[in-house]
Amino acid sequence: MIELNIKGMSCPHCVKAVSEALGTVPGVIRVVSVDLESGRTRVEGDADPQALVAAIRTAGYEAQAV
């Protein structure tokens, strides 16, 4: 399980955008959760955490691996 902190999400649309961005990264089996309140997401799979961060940044949000 890979966990990331995300900054900049403010609405359900943001959650959807982050989920979709993460789903495009090779190695992601599924996006387990994207929590708007805590700004934390969990991803199942063996994706490169830096590739996940890059996908989130491309979607317009800041992120860092926990």
Side-chain angles (χ1 to χ4, degrees):
M1 195 75 58
I2 302 166
E3 293 189 18
L4 303 163
N5 286 325
I6 303 170
K7 292 183 182 177
M9 294 190 304
S10 61
C11 66
H13 172 74
C14 297
V15 171
K16 182 179 179 188
V18 167
S19 294
E20 289 176 354
L22 291 170
T24 66
V25 177
V28 170
I29 294 171
R30 73 182 173 111
V31 178
V32 176
S33 66
V34 178
D35 188 331
L36 180 61
E37 284 188 32
S38 69
R40 187 165 250 179
T41 187
R42 292 176 31 198
V43 176
E44 182 179 340
D46 62 356
D48 175 11
Q50 292 308 314
L52 297 170
V53 168
I56 292 169
R57 287 185 176 156
T58 298
Y61 307 92
E62 287 299 315
Q64 79 180 139
V66 175

